[in-house]
Amino acid sequence: MNHLTDWSDLPNAVWRACLDRALGHRQRPAWTRSAAGKALGLVFFNPSLRTRASMDLAAAHLGAHPVTLTPGSGMWGLETRDGVTMDGAAAEHVKEAFGVLSRYVDALGVRTFATLTDHDADHEDRAFQAAVDASTVPVVNLESARWHPCQALADAAAVTETLGQTRGRKLVLHWAPHPKPLPRAVPNSALLMAARLGMEVVVARPEGFDLDDDVLDLARQTAARTGGSVTCSADRDAALAGAHVVYAKAWAGRAVYDAPATEARQRHAHADWTVTADTMARTDRAAFMHCLPVRRGVVVDGEVLDGDRAIHLLQAEYRLHAQKAVLEWVWSLLPSDAHAGSVRQPVRA
């Protein structure tokens, strides 16, 4: 089955074909009947705006019928852990829930956030994996504890459209302050996305906010194959110099699992990492990216978001086109010329 947990699990040809197809969908938007007779189940354990709306519409654009469910709100609360006595709030286990849904639909999309309390469960992506194990149809990751592949594909398309040539261009994955700790799925996937595009990637973050070593190692291995590079720096000025893209994202420090009060103090101590117009002036007229939702005045100033270099809304638009491509791959509907390499003219010189 064509499961999509993360792009690193799949051949590069699949990634390239889906990226080209996403770019093509934006050039030639159309409603089709290519997936007529298909049903898509969408299960959101966590809140969503872009993922929910774009995935719903992606299915409809292809002629498929989406069914969206939210555990604990309009349906039973679901248990994902194995071997537990279910005497709490969850009335149904994913083994039964996804076993049933697999008999109704032709693919499932599942969204499960990180706990930020159980490191091993998050690192092993146990909640999402439980859904995959219980399903007998393909499962698409709509954001798990570790990865957000749909966001990554949309980001890659937005960067490609904006820059044209991505190899050798510099992307800064910029840690940002936030009132609460946030998961690492988006920064993990953004890092791998830029490495796949052959970019010079710098993870700019304060001390204590490193991404996991295995994710960094995977990104470096990917960059070695694509002609890119991956480095980390706590020196924002040095990181931003010559950047063509600044991707801002808040994420929790490793201490959130063992010492959450310490992590909170560390996070609040770096409120000066907000992305401002002055921050962007240190770059080579960089495009600004954020996956959304974004807190204005905390993560980034409104002046940056409202400026002509911000492409966060283009990223969000590409969620629809990227997810159409993902569903076409899941259902083996990609046309034979999907990997044609067609790219729009770059917005940025």
Side-chain angles (χ1 to χ4, degrees), residues 90-178:
E92 188 163 14
H93 200 279
V94 291
K95 290 184 177 181
E96 282 72 47
F98 285 88
V100 169
L101 289 173
S102 294
R103 296 174 181 232
Y104 295 163
V105 301
D106 301 286
L108 283 162
V110 182
R111 185 179 180 94
T112 59
F113 282 177
T115 66
L116 294 181
T117 57
D118 186 332
H119 175 268
D120 290 346
D122 289 347
H123 195 74
E124 296 167 12
D125 238 343
R126 289 179 189 166
F128 179 77
Q129 192 57 49
V132 173
D133 292 344
S135 302
T136 57
V137 294
V139 178
V140 176
N141 185 350
L142 304 182
E143 187 175 0
S144 66
R146 292 266 284 171
W147 308 112
H148 199 342
C150 293
Q151 182 70 54
L153 187 62
D155 290 346
V159 170
T160 299
E161 175 172 326
T162 301
L163 298 184
Q165 175 58 251
T166 59
R167 188 182 297 271
R169 308 302 282 274
K170 184 176 181 179
L171 181 145
V172 177
L173 181 56
H174 190 296
W175 181 91
H178 201 275

Side-chain angles (χ1 to χ4, degrees), residues 11-25 28 153 167 196-197 325 328-329 333-343:
N12 189 58
V14 174
W15 159 261
R16 291 302 315 181
C18 287
L19 174 55
D20 288 346
R21 187 62 171 163
L23 290 161
H25 277 307
R28 299 175 295 276
L153 187 62
R167 188 182 297 271
R196 287 186 187 99
L197 294 180
E328 288 176 316
W329 171 72
L333 301 173
L334 281 177
S336 58
D337 63 346
H339 189 28
S342 58
V343 176

Side-chain angles (χ1 to χ4, degrees), residues 154-313:
D155 290 346
V159 170
T160 299
E161 175 172 326
T162 301
L163 298 184
Q165 175 58 251
T166 59
R167 188 182 297 271
R169 308 302 282 274
K170 184 176 181 179
L171 181 145
V172 177
L173 181 56
H174 190 296
W175 181 91
H178 201 275
K180 60 182 181 179
L182 295 183
R184 298 180 173 198
V186 169
N188 286 348
S189 292
L191 175 62
L192 267 293
M193 173 276 298
R196 287 186 187 99
L197 294 180
M199 303 186 77
E200 176 190 343
V201 191
V202 181
V203 183
R205 80 291 177 264
E207 298 296 339
F209 289 88
D210 285 305
L211 296 176
D212 288 332
D213 288 341
D214 60 341
V215 175
L216 288 167
D217 288 345
L218 179 58
R220 290 183 176 115
Q221 292 166 18
T222 302
R225 293 193 298 270
T226 61
S229 64
V230 174
T231 58
C232 300
S233 176
D235 185 337
R236 274 210 300 170
D237 287 343
L240 290 163
H244 303 106
V245 179
V246 174
Y247 195 136
K249 186 69 181 80
W251 66 82
R254 175 63 177 80
V256 73
Y257 292 101
D258 308 313
T262 299
E263 193 276 344
R265 286 194 298 271
Q266 291 174 333
R267 187 162 23 86
H268 295 316
H270 298 294
D272 59 336
W273 277 64
T274 296
V275 176
T276 65
D278 180 63
T279 305
M280 298 301 294
R282 304 175 208 178
T283 71
D284 183 11
R285 297 188 67 248
F288 175 82
M289 300 180 71
H290 192 281
C291 63
L292 302 179
V294 64
R295 292 182 182 244
R296 287 176 174 244
V298 178
V299 171
V300 55
D301 281 355
E303 182 180 0
V304 175
L305 288 169
D306 297 333
D308 60 3
R309 305 309 301 164
I311 62 169
H312 56 297
L313 296 182

